[in-house]
Amino acid sequence: MSPATEPPELTAVMPVWNEGERVEPTIRAFAAAVRTPFELLVVHDMPEDTTVPIVERLHAEIPAVRAHRNNLGPGVLNAMKAGIAAARAPYVLVTMADGSDEYGAVDRMVALARDGADLVAASRYVRGGRQVGGPRLKRLLSRGAGLSLHRLAGVPIHDATNNYKLYSRRFLATTPIESEAGFELAIELTVKATLQGRRLAEVPTTWRDRTGGASRFRLRTWLPHYLRWYLLAFRGRRRRTPDGGESRTS
Ligand SMILES: Nc1nc2c(ncn2[C@@H]2O[C@H](COP(=O)(O)OP(=O)(O)O)[C@@H](O)[C@H]2O)c(=O)[nH]1
Ligand SMILES: [Mg+2]
């Protein structure tokens, strides 16, 4: 296969901010675990990012791994949007560079998408899934949001806030991204896929907090942005609309 010309089946989008050497084991773990033909876009905001030389070195060895410059503006949200916009494959996986995601189930996530799922979540809050480390309040809110959306708002999956998710390009292409802050992108797309009546699937995963570097997650600043999509799920349950969902009378 020639990775430069043959479109891959999977594009993985990995936002990075000065991860430096820490990115290498994560990229190697991905390349070793995933059998689906892929391209991995490691998306940085600025040319002087310390991750870039490491990714360029790995690119020489694994051509499917490429550094991709985010030109939409700084921040993790713009980086994820830039990666999604550059994706060539029919399935797009968002994953983190700090070793928090495990890659044993990626091929199964792709298989579920091939079977028709437009969103496949890696879920921490199902049997076989776990969350290890991280700030207690963030964990509590994330689990509470995921489980309440599932039980009370008709969201078919259990973990709306994990950004480690696979999306079909046909879903992304027809769903404008309206998030404004950061990682609330995952809950936005989960709620929109639900309200559109799309098929959602999930596999269990273990999320581990980073062991090096510092988290740039800003709970207080981003919380209202999460709330916007959380509330839309409950409003929309009674009045299914956004972009093509069926209307419901109840
Ligand atoms: N491009 C880009 N990536 C970022 C930025 N902030 C964080 N990231 C990346 O997003 C991922 C998760 O970041 P992290 O700060 O650990 O958030 P947490 O895992 O929720 O604590 C890592 O791959 C980071 O390198 C940013 O401003 N721009
Ligand atoms: Mg992290």
Side-chain angles (χ1 to χ4, degrees):
M1 188 189 78
S2 137
T5 50
E6 197 124 329
E9 191 180 15
L10 176 70
T11 298
V13 172
M14 183 182 279
V16 290
W17 194 84
N18 287 332
E19 297 290 353
E21 304 275 354
R22 279 188 300 273
V23 80
E24 182 165 348
T26 309
I27 291 176
R28 288 197 183 280
F30 185 92
V34 178
R35 297 275 67 90
T36 307
F38 69 86
E39 63 178 351
L40 170 56
L41 305 181
V42 185
V43 190
H44 58 280
D45 300 353
M46 47 191 185
E48 65 273 24
D49 191 290
T50 60
T51 327
V52 175
I54 313 297
V55 178
E56 275 164 4
R57 175 163 55 72
L58 286 168
H59 171 70
E61 186 190 328
I62 314 168
V65 174
R66 296 202 313 273
H68 181 81
R69 170 82 192 273
N70 154 29
N71 281 316
L72 301 176
V76 72
L77 174 68
N78 284 321
M80 292 189 287
K81 283 163 87 168
I84 288 170
R88 293 183 299 150
Y91 308 121
V92 181
L93 179 76
V94 176
T95 183
M96 300 306 140
D98 58 352
S100 57
D101 304 327
E102 56 179 17
Y103 297 122
V106 172
D107 292 327
R108 208 145 69 74
M109 294 170 82
V110 172
L112 289 163
R114 273 192 216 116
D115 283 349
D118 282 300
L119 184 155
V120 184
S123 285
R124 298 161 291 186
Y125 313 131
V126 293
R127 191 185 301 274
R130 272 175 78 202
Q131 185 166 24
V132 181
R136 199 175 143 73
L137 181 61
K138 181 186 175 195
R139 280 166 49 181
L140 258 152
L141 290 172
S142 166
R143 172 185 283 271
L147 296 181
S148 58
L149 285 170
H150 177 70
R151 290 188 192 137
L152 308 172
V155 171
I157 58 158
H158 294 74
D159 189 342
T161 53
N162 196 357
N163 275 270
Y164 183 27
K165 285 189 170 65
L166 183 148
Y167 308 98
S168 72
R169 264 258 295 274
R170 64 172 179 247
F171 166 61
L172 293 171
T174 55
T175 307
I177 290 172
E178 296 169 281
S179 284
E180 290 166 355
F183 289 119
E184 85 267 27
L185 178 63
I187 188 173
E188 175 189 354
L189 292 176
T190 300
V191 170
K192 285 183 171 177
T194 302
L195 297 182
Q196 289 176 23
R198 304 239 176 204
R199 197 195 296 178
L200 289 78
E202 65 190 332
V203 300
T205 200
T206 298
W207 184 95
R208 288 168 210 281
D209 196 25
R210 57 166 71 243
T211 49
S215 169
R216 305 190 78 223
F217 190 90
R218 297 195 287 281
L219 185 60
R220 247 170 240 176
T221 322
W222 288 351
L223 199 53
H225 295 271
Y226 276 80
L227 206 54
R228 171 184 178 192
W229 302 114
Y230 183 79
L231 295 174
L232 177 67
F234 285 90
R235 281 206 309 277
R237 181 173 169 69
R238 271 170 285 141
R239 189 177 48 81
R240 292 207 165 199
T241 41
D243 318 329
E246 85 264 23
S247 5
R248 255 202 190 169
T249 43
S250 64

